Amino acid sequence: MRHMKNLHKQGFYIYYMVLLDLTNGVWGFSSQFIREQDDRSETKQFLHNRLKRSWVWNQFFVLEEYTGTDPLYVGKLHSDMDEGDGSIKYILSGDGAGTTFTIDDTTGDIHAIQRLDREERSQYTLRAQALDRRTNRPMEPESEFIIKIQDINDNEPKFLDGPYTTSVPEMSPVGTSIIQVSATDADDPTYGSSARVMYSILQGQPYFSVDSKTGIIRTALTNMDREARDYYEVIIQAKDMGGQLGGLAGTTTVNITLSDVNDNPPRFPQKHYQMNVLELSPVNSTVGRVLAMDLDEGVNAEMKYTIIDGDGIDMFDVTTDPTYQVGVITVKKPLDFESKKSYTLKIEGSNPHIEVRFFNLGPFRDTTTVHISVEDADEPPVFESSYYFVEVSENVDIGTTIQIVSAKDPDATNNSVRYSIDRDSDPGRYFYVDITTGALMTARPLDREDVSWHNITILAMEMNNPAQIGSVPVAIKILDVNDNAPVFTKFYETFMCENAKAGQLIQTVSAIDQDDPPEGHHIYYSLAPEAANNPNFTLRDNQDNTAWILTRKSGFKQADQSTFYIPILVADNGQPMLSSTGTLTIQVCSCDQDGDIMSCSAEPYTLPISLSRGALIAILACIFVLLVLVLLILSMRRHRKQPYTIDEEDNVHENIVRYDDEGGGEEDTEAFDISALWNSREVHVGKSRQDMQPEIESLSRYVPQSCMMDNNVHNYMLAKLFEADTDVCAPPFDSLQTYMFEGEGSVAQSLSSLQSFSTDSDQNYDYLTDWGPRFKKLAEMYGTKESNASL
């Protein structure tokens, strides 16, 4: 007020336009103008010289969701220069101008022409301007104002994350937090209570409760047992206006599952089990199953089974099946009905995972008794030993007993047993077993160097039940006997020069012995007795199973003796000692100064050293192929056909010459029908061939019927001769030349004159012009002349 008084003292006065919007009940300032006036004399000069104005706009408020039929009045713009004569034009621009809001350009009234929704848009910023209607000049500076949309409670709370699914452990204490639900209200939270939400539970009492402000759901009942009921459907309501009457509400569903805890101990449904097992059941085979029932699930229902007592604790075992949580009783050791016929087991089933707070509900274990009866079975014979090992020397006499095996029937009947050898294990039939005594004997000579080990299987069969067969493996090792003399490892042949010196090493020899003496091989070498005093060569035993052959003199002559044969005696160190004689062949050769062999008596015409025997064979093969090719060419030239020359004496016969240059496909291969020579009448009967029609008709048309006596070639040739003799136009020799088709598919078809029955003068060749460029020349020769002649 003091500020306003100061303005009044200085000559200013202020117009306040306060509008009361009766439609929405909102007060607002539409405009505030400040006008300066010193005195009345200066008013005119001020209006002409100073037009600057400062508009200060307050906010307009309008309620959303207007449902009336008339446009919603928002506010009014007014300039103090507006005298009401319509000279001022009001213009509105900015957000929604012209589409959402309109202005009366004369009165400045603003109306909303569309339904407004605060949740879509909460305010609009617009600009207002006053113009001179005649000059369109601004009367006031452009000013900006805001239209705010005032909220009403038109949106119910919504659970955007619903429906909810959660779980809570069973037996949870009262007040255990489960889940928090949240509802969202799109209304303005700063205005009134439209967005203030309160939660309540519509379905789910008395098991659960919900905090009205936070939406946290908690348990409300003690001892909620999953085994009694494991699923609950809870409906939560959210209501705005603080939950007051008239507020809008939304609901959601919360699916709550009780999760399991180990609150139920295992219990066997029966305290005694009776089971049977065959005495022949293999180790780890299943005898039976026991089950301890547990109402819990998952890890809380896991079981562990243990044999805690009984006389079968060493013969049986129990394991837990992880899938079905049952105890599987299995055989731990082989059973024998004759030794013990029944066993008793005490088995305990317990939970390995226990919760301390439920100890009072225990104990979480239970026991049961299992009686197992062993059933007798007809068992196969059993050998006294599970494995036999036998050593026997090679070359033992046939029928020598090397081992006696023994088996008996383990059953009480004690049936007699018969023995045999599994022939798949002894394919060579080296051994034989006595059927009643089990004596294992040799059936063939044994040779260690051939087979050093034999692994056979002996069978024992009950006499009264042949299906019951027992078996035992027998390993037989063949011991070595010195029965093989040492021999050279290969055939030895060497060469030496004529100028060899005395003591020169000619060859190193070695031998092998197939025997296997315990102290190892030691082979002795010496010259055979017949070569002991050999003047040319000597032998040195190296004591390492090798020997050297040395020259005893200097100088050898190929002409005197080109080949030497040195017998060498090879002996072993066995008992008895065995020996053999090998021969070393030595060729005397002529050599050059460097000691390289030039020629030997064994090969007087030696090849160059660089030319191998394989290369020589390849050269000879090439020469042989060339010779064969030359002979083949000469033979072909000799049998080449001589050119055909026509002898005038041989020309006195009918020649059929055909010219089908352009090719007629299948018609070329069937150009001449030989059947016409056998029966000339056939050319007029049935379907005639197109390519043979001209000549057949020309030949048969003039043949008298009297000439066609017999159906043979002779009569047909006589008929043709008669035709030639009576034809004055025929050439003086029997020759028929046919010019027929131009080929399959030709537009000219056949050009044979034999098919034409008119003379050249009667023939019209105008059609040649229609055959295209290929017959242009022919058309000019015939068609053009004919046309000119006609002119």
Side-chain angles (χ1 to χ4, degrees):
M1 292 297 295
R2 184 169 47 188
H3 179 66
M4 293 177 60
K5 292 179 179 180
N6 293 334
L7 290 176
H8 180 71
K9 291 180 179 179
Q10 296 176 4
F12 295 92
Y13 61 93
I14 302 172
Y15 294 95
Y16 287 94
M17 298 184 65
V18 182
L19 301 179
L20 175 62
D21 191 339
L22 299 178
T23 303
N24 52 33
V26 178
W27 287 89
F29 290 90
S30 66
S31 63
Q32 178 182 4
F33 301 94
I34 301 176
R35 179 179 175 184
E36 181 181 2
Q37 178 178 349
D38 293 336
D39 49 42
R40 295 183 180 271
S41 61
E42 296 177 355
T43 301
K44 185 176 182 180
Q45 181 180 0
F46 171 79
L47 292 175
H48 288 282
N49 297 332
R50 190 179 182 189
L51 298 177
K52 183 177 181 180
R53 293 291 185 268
S54 176
W55 293 12
V56 179
W57 301 95
N58 287 326
Q59 295 178 349
F60 289 98
F61 294 90
V62 59
L63 286 176
E64 64 172 336
E65 305 294 346
Y66 172 70
T67 58
T69 57
D70 297 331
L72 177 64
Y73 181 74
V74 177
K76 183 181 184 64
L77 300 180
H78 185 74
S79 172
D80 58 352
M81 300 184 65
D82 187 359
E83 297 178 357
D85 55 357
S87 61
I88 300 299
K89 179 181 179 181
Y90 297 98
I91 296 176
L92 190 66
S93 61
D95 297 338
T99 57
T100 304
F101 302 99
T102 59
I103 187 171
D104 189 325
D105 61 353
T106 301
T107 63
D109 292 333
I110 301 174
H111 291 82
I113 58 177
Q114 289 187 0
R115 173 178 164 272
L116 301 177
D117 188 355
R118 189 202 66 82
E119 286 71 38
E120 293 181 2
R121 188 161 185 173
S122 60
Q123 67 179 23
Y124 295 85
T125 302
L126 296 100
R127 293 181 299 276
Q129 192 172 22
L131 303 178
D132 189 311
R133 191 178 293 275
R134 292 175 300 173
T135 63
N136 208 28
R137 288 185 176 182
M139 299 298 292
E140 299 286 350
E142 186 180 55
S143 297
E144 184 177 86
F145 64 96
I146 296 174
I147 298 179
K148 285 193 174 183
I149 310 304
Q150 191 171 4
D151 183 56
I152 63 173
N153 189 19
D154 59 342
N155 291 278
E156 72 278 4
K158 294 182 179 180
F159 293 90
L160 302 181
D161 297 329
Y164 299 86
T165 300
T166 185
S167 64
V168 60
E170 63 173 331
M171 310 299 288
S172 294
V174 175
T176 301
S177 176
I178 302 175
I179 192 174
Q180 182 177 14
V181 297
S182 177
T184 302
D185 196 319
D187 292 325
D188 189 0
T190 63
Y191 180 78
S193 299
S194 299
R196 190 160 65 91
V197 177
M198 300 294 288
Y199 300 95
S200 62
I201 184 168
L202 300 182
Q203 176 181 310
Q205 297 97 345
Y207 306 101
F208 304 97
S209 63
V210 62
D211 189 289
S212 60
K213 295 182 179 180
T214 62
I216 297 176
I217 301 175
R218 293 182 171 88
T219 57
L221 193 65
T222 59
N223 300 328
M224 297 177 65
D225 190 2
R226 184 198 65 86
E227 287 72 32
R229 180 179 178 183
D230 62 348
Y231 173 76
Y232 297 87
E233 185 177 82
V234 180
I235 298 178
I236 301 297
Q237 181 188 69
K239 191 173 184 181
D240 59 12
M241 300 299 293
Q244 297 178 3
L245 186 65
L248 303 179
T251 60
T252 188
T253 300
V254 182
N255 300 304
I256 301 177
T257 303
L258 296 183
S259 59
D260 185 63
V261 297
N262 193 8
D263 59 340
N264 293 279
R267 292 290 180 265
F268 283 102
Q270 57 188 90
K271 292 299 181 181
H272 298 278
Y273 289 87
Q274 179 65 45
M275 299 179 184
N276 299 324
V277 59
L278 287 174
E279 64 170 330
L280 297 181
S281 298
V283 175
N284 296 326
S285 61
T286 300
V287 178
R289 292 173 173 83
V290 295
L291 174 63
M293 304 297 294
D294 194 328
L295 297 178
D296 296 321
E297 64 179 7
V299 68
N300 299 314
E302 289 184 1
M303 300 296 299
K304 181 181 178 181
Y305 295 92
T306 309
I307 300 176
I308 59 176
D309 198 4
D311 57 0
I313 193 171
D314 295 329
M315 303 299 296
F316 299 94
D317 196 3
V318 62
T319 59
T320 302
D321 185 343
T323 304
Y324 301 102
Q325 300 299 321
V326 297
V328 181
I329 302 174
T330 58
V331 178
K332 188 176 182 180
K333 293 181 179 181
L335 303 174
D336 187 7
F337 173 81
E338 289 71 25
S339 299
K340 188 173 178 59
K341 298 179 176 57
S342 64
Y343 297 91
T344 301
L345 303 176
K346 187 175 183 180
I347 298 178
E348 179 187 77
S350 60
N351 288 141
H353 307 286
I354 302 176
E355 296 189 29
V356 178
R357 61 193 181 105
F358 298 117
F359 272 168
N360 60 323
L361 301 177
F364 286 85
R365 63 183 68 247
D366 196 13
T367 60
T368 187
T369 302
V370 180
H371 299 281
I372 301 177
S373 299
V374 180
E375 297 180 354
D376 187 25
D378 190 3
E379 301 175 77
V382 178
F383 285 89
E384 292 180 352
S385 177
S386 61
Y387 178 81
Y388 289 95
F389 173 73
V390 181
E391 291 182 338
V392 59
S393 298
E394 61 177 331
N395 297 333
V396 296
D397 295 335
I398 296 176
T400 302
T401 300
I402 61 175
Q403 180 70 40
I404 296 178
V405 297
S406 179
K408 65 177 181 178
D409 185 7
D411 298 321
T413 56
N414 194 16
N415 293 322
S416 60
V417 176
R418 295 294 180 263
Y419 302 95
S420 63
I421 296 178
D422 185 357
R423 288 307 172 189
D424 292 336
S425 64
D426 185 25
R429 308 274 179 141
Y430 287 97
F431 302 96
Y432 167 78
V433 63
D434 187 270
I435 191 172
T436 57
T437 63
L440 181 62
M441 299 172 285
T442 59
R444 287 180 53 188
L446 303 178
D447 188 359
R448 188 202 65 84
E449 288 71 36
D450 185 16
V451 181
S452 60
W453 280 86
H454 294 270
N455 293 289
I456 65 174
T457 300
I458 297 181
L459 307 177
M461 179 182 65
E462 290 185 11
M463 282 291 294
N464 296 337
N465 188 1
Q468 296 298 330
I469 300 175
S471 63
V472 65
V474 180
I476 304 172
K477 180 181 180 182
I478 309 302
L479 301 178
D480 184 51
V481 174
N482 190 26
D483 56 350
N484 292 278
V487 294
F488 280 161
T489 57
K490 64 179 180 177
F491 173 74
Y492 286 102
E493 181 179 9
T494 187
F495 303 89
M496 75 174 187
C497 296
E498 292 178 316
N499 57 356
K501 306 297 182 181
Q504 181 176 333
L505 175 62
I506 300 302
Q507 180 68 44
T508 301
V509 296
S510 62
I512 58 173
D513 192 342
Q514 293 184 357
D515 293 323
D516 187 18
E519 65 274 6
H521 288 287
H522 187 79
I523 299 176
Y524 303 95
Y525 300 88
S526 62
L527 292 177
E530 63 270 20
N533 298 320
N534 192 308
N536 300 313
F537 303 96
T538 184
L539 181 143
R540 178 187 298 175
D541 192 341
N542 297 323
Q543 301 300 318
D544 59 354
N545 294 334
T546 64
W548 288 352
I549 308 301
L550 306 172
T551 58
R552 181 171 285 184
K553 68 174 184 176
S554 299
F556 291 85
K557 290 185 179 181
Q558 182 180 350
D560 295 342
Q561 186 174 353
S562 62
T563 304
F564 294 92
Y565 299 97
I566 310 300
I568 301 174
L569 183 65
V570 184
D572 61 15
N573 61 332
Q575 296 295 331
M577 179 180 291
L578 299 179
S579 63
S580 65
T581 301
T583 301
L584 169 64
T585 302
I586 302 175
Q587 297 284 344
V588 180
C589 303
S590 60
C591 304
D592 56 14
Q593 295 179 355
D594 297 331
D596 296 330
I597 297 176
M598 298 176 60
S599 64
C600 298
S601 60
E603 297 180 6
Y605 301 101
T606 58
L607 295 172
I609 297 177
S610 59
L611 187 61
S612 64
R613 183 173 299 176
L616 176 60
I617 294 174
I619 293 173
L620 293 176
C622 293
I623 295 174
F624 176 75
V625 172
L626 291 176
L627 289 176
V628 172
L629 291 177
V630 170
L631 292 176
L632 182 61
I633 293 172
L634 292 176
S635 177
M636 293 177 62
R637 295 184 64 181
R638 180 177 298 176
H639 292 83
R640 181 176 298 174
K641 292 182 179 181
Q642 299 296 329
Y644 179 75
T645 58
I646 300 176
D647 192 354
E648 295 191 7
E649 294 181 359
D650 297 337
N651 200 24
V652 190
H653 63 274
E654 182 171 324
N655 296 325
I656 300 177
V657 183
R658 304 180 62 85
Y659 295 90
D660 295 330
D661 295 337
E662 293 195 21
E666 293 294 335
E667 293 179 354
D668 283 351
T669 62
E670 301 175 353
F672 183 74
D673 189 2
I674 193 66
S675 64
L677 295 177
W678 295 98
N679 188 1
S680 59
R681 295 177 183 270
E682 291 181 1
V683 299
H684 298 286
V685 181
K687 183 178 179 182
S688 61
R689 287 179 50 189
Q690 182 179 357
D691 59 335
M692 295 303 299
Q693 184 178 356
E695 63 174 342
I696 296 300
E697 290 184 356
S698 64
L699 293 175
S700 61
R701 185 170 47 185
Y702 304 103
V703 178
Q705 295 297 322
S706 60
C707 296
M708 301 181 183
M709 296 177 293
D710 297 327
N711 188 14
N712 53 50
V713 177
H714 177 70
N715 292 337
Y716 184 70
M717 298 303 296
L718 291 176
K720 294 194 65 176
L721 179 60
F722 175 81
E723 179 186 9
D725 292 340
T726 58
D727 189 3
V728 296
C729 297
F733 52 87
D734 296 332
S735 177
L736 177 63
Q737 298 181 359
T738 304
Y739 298 87
M740 291 182 61
F741 297 101
E742 300 239 348
E744 181 73 20
S746 174
V747 295
Q749 298 181 354
S750 175
L751 299 181
S752 174
S753 61
L754 297 179
Q755 286 184 316
S756 177
F757 299 103
S758 61
T759 61
D760 293 342
S761 60
D762 298 332
Q763 180 68 36
N764 184 7
Y765 297 98
D766 292 339
Y767 61 89
L768 294 175
T769 57
D770 300 328
W771 286 3
R774 291 183 294 174
F775 299 93
K776 180 179 180 182
K777 187 66 176 177
L778 205 60
E780 292 177 353
M781 294 174 61
Y782 291 92
T784 305
K785 291 181 180 181
E786 292 293 334
S787 61
N788 293 336
S790 63
L791 292 175

